[in-house]
Amino acid sequence: MLPTPRRPILRRLATTLAVAALTLSLTPSAATASPARYTNPLVEKRADAHISRHTDGYYYFTASVPEYDRVVLRRATTLQGLTTAPETVIWRKNSSGELSANVWAPELHSIGGKWYAYFAAGRADEPFRIRMYVMESSSANPLTGTWSAPTRITTAWDTFALDATTFEAGGVRYLAWAQSEPGIATNSNLYIARMAGPKAISGTPVRIAVPTRDWETRGFKVNEGPAVIQRNGRIFLTFSASATDANYCLGLLTASASSNLLDPASWVKSPDPVFTSNAATSQYGPGHNSFTTSEDGRNDVLVYHDRSYRDIVGDPLYDPNRRTRVQKLYWNADGTPNFGIPVADGPTPVRLQSYNYPDRYVRHWEFKARVEANVTNLADSQFRVVTGLAGGGSVSLESTNFPGYYLRHRNHVLHVEKNDGTATFRGDASFQQRAGLADGSAVSFESTNAPGRYVRHTGVDVLLQPVSDAVGRADATWVLQ
């Protein structure tokens, strides 16, 4: 048996070595990844937005304009830069006949060294005789290059068709779109087909989704706006459902990357919508999304439109105030996407990831803060880093799903509580953001009104405590994700 006086020394040494080993075992992305943080809305009065990042280092943006009369493009080297980037019109509607009304939902794709702009349009004499079209440009810069005249994408039926998107999987290029099929009493279903080239499909289209559930049939029976992201051995296809008012929402189809994508049985529809209106954050009718990546390439970003109000005067289709918005797309431990909720306008939130237990995040549970793994109710673990309520260069951490509620300490225990306007609350909810005590690339939060005490975890609890050793420094260090 070791002499008693040596036991505390050896225990401290063992603890220090354990923390050091755990720190060394962290992957670089866990310790150094920068969060994808933006300010919403990204672009006002632009719906059905499509953003893609090209190999030339630019983000390319296109969307429906309220007048439905043209196809526009923007580009910038950052996502936020698209807010103020100049906009170029690459095509305007015809004065009559085909392509003379309702120019909807453009997408820009780079295929084989050329640019292709897909969109839908109707006729001035039949505005809802919507069909799909594509234009081509071989110029390096699609904003200044020459574009071919639009050509129609022919499908199995000469019916209402829109929202063409294209993707490649397993070496095969596919087109996915929405269409009204004769004999089915819906406004639009989802279809997929192989492509014979960027401008045409080959073979027989396959129906992969029909609106049947309550959340897909509010106002109209709609499945439309397909968008694809491929991760973790699976192909995830989002789509929009119901009328374009506050009922509009995102659904999800999932297929194995190794499956036959032309077999309807390969696609499984999630039973519930994955992204819906949220009254707490004042976001209504989120939908018609696309996907891109953050500037550092480490984060997936969800692009979508919505409105900041629920009640609409007149036909929602002609309400001009849908805005393009972006926020980070997260992934569950099982490899499925977690969309969370449409966050409030302003800066997008982050998660506070434990530095020494990187599978765990700060979340609120019954308004008490705790550290937990596998937080599938994503918004419980998201906070906006905002100007500190107490000023003095401090920051405050505002709850995402309870705006106006902040992370604050009470009796040195962290809670999420509503700002009561008092000086005590402002002090309790304000922190100095420091370089991480265990790693300068991460962060630590020191209390403003209790200097020397830091936000740290002990077990599952999140406390405000002094930090004096390696364990404490690791417990009080957070990675913003």
Side-chain angles (χ1 to χ4, degrees):
M1 181 177 291
L2 293 172
T4 301
R6 293 182 60 189
R7 289 182 189 166
I9 297 173
L10 290 176
R11 279 200 297 270
R12 285 196 299 272
L13 177 60
T15 300
T16 301
L17 290 173
V19 171
L22 182 59
T23 300
L24 289 172
S25 71
L26 291 175
T27 62
S29 62
T32 63
S34 58
R37 298 166 75 175
Y38 307 102
T39 299
N40 279 316
L42 188 74
V43 184
E44 297 279 5
K45 295 188 176 181
R46 293 294 179 266
D48 312 322
H50 184 267
I51 299 177
S52 59
R53 192 180 188 193
H54 190 51
T55 54
D56 62 5
Y58 283 94
Y59 286 96
Y60 287 88
F61 167 92
T62 186
S64 298
V65 301
E67 299 81 7
Y68 300 143
D69 65 350
R70 61 195 186 273
V71 177
V72 298
L73 294 180
R74 300 184 187 195
R75 74 172 188 172
T77 55
T78 65
L79 277 169
Q80 201 69 60
L82 293 170
T83 302
T84 56
E87 193 168 84
T88 298
V89 178
I90 63 167
W91 180 83
R92 289 187 183 275
K93 70 178 183 178
N94 295 339
S95 58
S96 61
E98 288 192 359
L99 295 151
S100 58
N102 284 347
V103 179
W104 288 350
E107 290 196 7
L108 181 69
H109 293 266
S110 175
I111 305 171
K114 294 183 179 181
W115 294 101
Y116 295 88
Y118 299 86
F119 64 96
R123 301 171 55 99
D125 55 346
E126 294 183 76
F128 293 98
R129 193 180 187 279
I130 304 295
R131 303 296 185 267
M132 300 183 295
Y133 300 88
V134 59
M135 301 187 299
E136 177 186 297
S137 175
S138 57
S139 303
N141 182 351
L143 280 74
T144 59
T146 301
W147 285 89
S148 68
T151 58
R152 182 173 161 185
I153 299 174
T154 302
T155 63
W157 316 283
D158 185 21
T159 59
F160 181 87
L162 70 167
D163 297 346
T165 192
T166 181
F167 67 99
E168 188 174 296
V172 177
R173 179 159 292 281
Y174 297 91
L175 189 79
W177 71 97
Q179 189 163 9
S180 175
E181 180 178 342
I184 300 180
T186 58
N187 297 92
S188 60
N189 314 309
L190 295 181
Y191 298 85
I192 188 171
R194 284 180 180 246
M195 299 196 78
K199 295 183 177 182
I201 65 172
S202 65
T204 303
V206 175
R207 185 191 332 117
I208 57 174
V210 176
T212 57
R213 297 187 170 103
D214 173 68
W215 54 271
E216 300 174 289
T217 57
R218 294 171 181 164
F220 295 100
K221 296 177 180 180
V222 169
N223 281 174
E224 65 181 15
V228 170
I229 186 168
Q230 302 182 54
R231 295 287 185 273
N232 309 317
R234 280 167 280 189
I235 297 174
F236 301 99
L237 186 149
T238 53
F239 62 91
S240 300
S242 289
T244 57
D245 53 18
N247 291 306
Y248 211 48
C249 60
L250 288 185
L252 181 68
L253 296 176
T254 303
S256 168
S258 61
S259 66
N260 177 7
L261 300 184
L262 298 179
D263 180 357
S266 296
W267 296 94
V268 177
K269 183 186 290 187
S270 296
D272 300 307
V274 295
F275 202 56
T276 62
S277 293
N278 190 283
T281 60
S282 298
Q283 307 301 323
Y284 298 94
H288 205 118
N289 77 289
S290 59
F291 299 100
T292 188
T293 57
S294 61
E295 288 79 357
D296 62 7
R298 294 178 174 177
N299 298 288
D300 292 309
V301 177
L302 173 67
V303 182
Y304 63 98
H305 75 238
D306 74 5
R307 294 183 179 88
S308 61
Y309 50 88
R310 183 192 64 194
D311 298 324
I312 300 169
V313 177
D315 188 337
L317 186 62
Y318 301 107
D319 179 282
N321 295 318
R322 292 181 290 180
R323 319 85 51 80
T324 297
R325 309 179 85 252
V326 292
Q327 62 190 66
K328 180 177 175 179
L329 178 69
Y330 290 85
W331 295 89
N332 296 315
D334 65 0
T336 58
N338 193 325
F339 295 81
I341 63 174
V343 300
D345 285 353
T348 54
V350 297
R351 302 177 86 189
L352 275 63
Q353 179 189 38
S354 169
Y355 175 76
N356 49 357
Y357 293 92
D359 65 331
R360 303 178 190 181
Y361 296 84
V362 175
R363 60 90 53 92
H364 61 83
W365 178 261
E366 296 181 346
F367 298 103
K368 182 179 179 182
R370 58 191 294 172
V371 173
E372 196 171 286
N374 299 322
V375 184
T376 55
N377 189 3
L378 179 66
D380 283 355
S381 63
Q382 290 180 293
F383 297 88
R384 295 209 298 176
V385 182
V386 298
T387 301
L389 299 178
S394 64
V395 299
S396 293
L397 298 166
E398 184 181 13
S399 168
T400 291
N401 51 354
F402 289 91
Y405 285 64
Y406 295 84
L407 199 64
R408 61 88 59 97
H409 68 87
R410 181 159 46 81
N411 299 323
H412 301 148
V413 176
L414 274 292
H415 301 263
V416 172
E417 295 183 354
K418 187 175 182 179
N419 181 7
D420 63 9
T422 64
T424 297
F425 187 97
R426 291 194 294 271
D428 291 349
S430 296
F431 306 89
Q432 298 296 324
Q433 182 173 311
R434 311 291 191 195
L437 298 179
D439 185 336
S441 68
V443 300
S444 293
F445 294 98
E446 182 181 9
S447 171
T448 293
N449 60 359
R453 289 179 176 266
Y454 290 82
V455 177
R456 67 171 289 184
H457 65 85
T458 299
V460 298
D461 295 321
V462 182
L463 309 173
L464 194 70
Q465 292 184 342
V467 173
S468 60
D469 58 16
V471 173
R473 288 191 291 274
D475 288 349
T477 299
W478 308 95
V479 178
L480 300 183
Q481 292 282 13

